[in-house]
Amino acid sequence: MSTRDLVLIALLAAITAVLGLFPALTLPLTGVPVTAQTLGVMLAGSLLGARRGGLALVVFLVLVALGLPLLAGGRGGAAVFAGVTAGFLFSWPVAAFAIGWMTEKSWSRYDLKHAILINVAGGILVVYAGGLAWMSAVAGIPLDKALFGSLPFIPGDALKVAAASAVAVTLKRYHQHPLGQTV
Amino acid sequence: MNLTLYQPGNSPLHRMPAGAKLATLFAIGIAVLLTDDPSHLAIGLALVLTGFPAARLPLKPVLRQAVPLFAVLALFFAAHAVFTSVETGTLLALRFATIVAAGLLLTLTTTVSGMMAVLEKGLGPLAVFGFNPAKISLVFALTIRFIPVLADTWMSVRAAQQARGLGGNPLALLIPVTIQTLRRADRIAEAIEARGIDL
């Protein structure tokens, strides 16, 4: 990996951390702020591709585990990886990798439609598959009940998909997208 | 911006080496899986909880971390009480509470640099497989350094867009922040290479 690759990994890990410090989006009508860290997952995959995107999230999670309060609400430390909802965290690098892989594969045709489909598949399906599987396997909550409990978060996730997709496609259009630059 | 959860102190738990604390946490994690007896788990949890007064931790930062974690656990216990049984709920909740409390103790009494040293030691053997521990350390150091820098970028772009009346538009914030960040990557990579740091 080049020095530039390492720097890009560090920067996207840092963006994910900053997204936990500030709410980027507010749910329309309800005014509920959406803590936007899965937006970092989608951006890392959509902008850096599979390997670098996945690694950016690995770096982010390791820093959380080492004791930096980088998760939304200033949480962090080893304890969050032992909790009932830890499966969502573990799914982040996988989701970023999956988004990155699909983005690379479809690069020549990559437009808003592709971006939205890819971010829904990686940023929602993969994340919920990991999070809900953990809840039911490790914590013994029946799968359908866990799914029902996470429905309120879907509108926020849809907004994040729209935002990440729009950023990635805009950057491609103006030749600022890292996957479109040959360095 | 406070980028660590560490609470300074001089208790035996603070002085215990980070590696030993991490090993203890793993041992506790395995131990809670080996027993199905709630009374054993309750004793284990009580033992872990004595660590908090022993470490003389200030109450406020402890509660700030503990309340959300245990709120989720309470919800989860309620879900079990409704859908499966109170017994399963109690068993699982005790298991999670023990390991979560132990993890919290580790984080609150250990510096990030202490944890980082353990990580680097652990990564050393990976060099055999072609991983470069120096590269990995650089990425972690860069990330920690970039967080306040990007937070600054974020706030200045937000202020600029609010001045233009674009405060409610998330894309007017996200796109400039992302572009600035990506452009910064090129300059930083050049600067690292210009200083002859050979990776």
Side-chain angles (χ1 to χ4, degrees):
Chain A
M1 272 194 179
S2 70
T3 310
R4 186 168 171 274
D5 290 334
L6 300 179
V7 172
L8 283 172
I9 290 170
L11 281 169
L12 263 295
I15 283 191
T16 309
V18 170
L19 286 169
L21 298 175
F22 312 109
L25 304 166
T26 305
L27 274 188
L29 303 176
T30 59
V32 178
V34 179
T35 54
Q37 284 188 308
T38 47
L39 183 58
V41 176
M42 297 176 204
L43 283 175
S46 298
L47 297 178
L48 299 187
R51 242 160 82 83
R52 295 177 298 183
L55 285 172
L57 268 297
V58 171
V59 168
F60 173 76
L61 289 186
V62 170
L63 285 176
V64 171
L66 291 182
L68 273 74
L70 302 180
L71 293 177
R75 292 174 309 119
V80 295
F81 293 94
V84 183
T85 54
F88 288 99
L89 296 182
F90 290 122
S91 72
W92 286 358
V94 182
F97 185 92
I99 292 169
W101 186 79
M102 289 184 279
T103 306
E104 284 171 10
K105 288 290 160 201
S106 65
W107 181 249
S108 58
R109 291 160 290 139
Y110 190 73
D111 57 9
L112 194 60
K113 198 177 73 195
H114 280 91
I116 288 174
L117 281 174
I118 289 170
N119 280 316
V120 167
I124 297 185
L125 296 185
V126 172
V127 169
Y128 280 86
L132 298 178
W134 174 278
M135 259 198 222
S136 78
V138 181
I141 303 268
L143 202 56
D144 53 329
K145 309 292 192 284
L147 182 65
F148 185 71
S150 48
L151 284 181
F153 297 100
I154 295 286
D157 288 323
L159 278 181
K160 282 179 260 183
V161 165
S165 304
V167 170
V169 171
T170 308
L171 261 56
K172 186 189 181 193
R173 188 184 309 140
Y174 294 106
H175 306 288
Q176 300 286 335
H177 197 299
L179 288 179
Q181 296 163 345
T182 44
V183 177
Chain B
M1 193 168 20
N2 191 7
L3 263 185
T4 175
L5 296 169
Y6 173 68
Q7 299 299 324
N10 195 29
S11 74
L13 265 174
H14 283 87
R15 291 197 304 265
M16 191 173 165
K21 275 186 269 194
L22 203 59
T24 312
L25 177 65
F26 275 112
I28 294 174
I30 292 166
V32 295
L33 292 177
L34 291 179
T35 175
D36 278 334
D37 187 341
S39 63
H40 291 169
L41 287 169
I43 296 169
L45 177 61
L47 276 175
V48 171
L49 290 178
T50 58
F52 286 90
R56 290 185 290 274
L57 292 166
L59 196 60
K60 221 179 125 191
V62 173
L63 288 181
R64 194 174 138 80
Q65 295 298 316
V67 166
L69 285 167
F70 285 94
V72 173
L73 265 183
L75 240 148
F76 154 78
F77 174 75
H80 266 297
V82 174
F83 298 124
T84 54
S85 71
V86 176
E87 287 75 34
T88 339
T90 314
L91 183 73
L92 288 168
L94 279 172
R95 215 173 247 167
F96 274 110
T98 311
I99 184 85
V100 162
L104 199 54
L105 262 182
L106 166 79
T107 303
L108 293 170
T109 62
T110 316
T111 57
V112 171
S113 53
M115 293 290 287
M116 194 81 93
V118 176
L119 178 76
E120 278 167 20
K121 221 183 270 173
L123 289 174
L126 284 181
V128 183
F129 303 103
F131 284 94
N132 182 345
K135 274 190 186 185
I136 299 172
S137 304
L138 175 76
V139 173
F140 285 114
L142 281 176
T143 308
I144 294 175
R145 181 65 194 93
F146 287 153
I147 292 168
V149 175
L150 292 190
D152 245 22
T153 308
W154 183 280
M155 285 190 285
S156 62
V157 172
R158 191 172 56 180
Q161 301 295 46
Q162 272 167 351
R164 297 186 179 103
L166 292 170
N169 183 347
L171 287 183
L173 174 62
L174 283 172
I175 290 172
V177 168
T178 317
I179 290 180
Q180 278 196 34
T181 306
L182 293 173
R183 285 190 181 158
R184 186 171 271 146
D186 296 325
R187 295 202 304 275
I188 295 165
E190 278 167 22
I192 291 173
E193 283 169 353
R195 278 161 183 76
I197 298 175
D198 188 23
L199 293 168

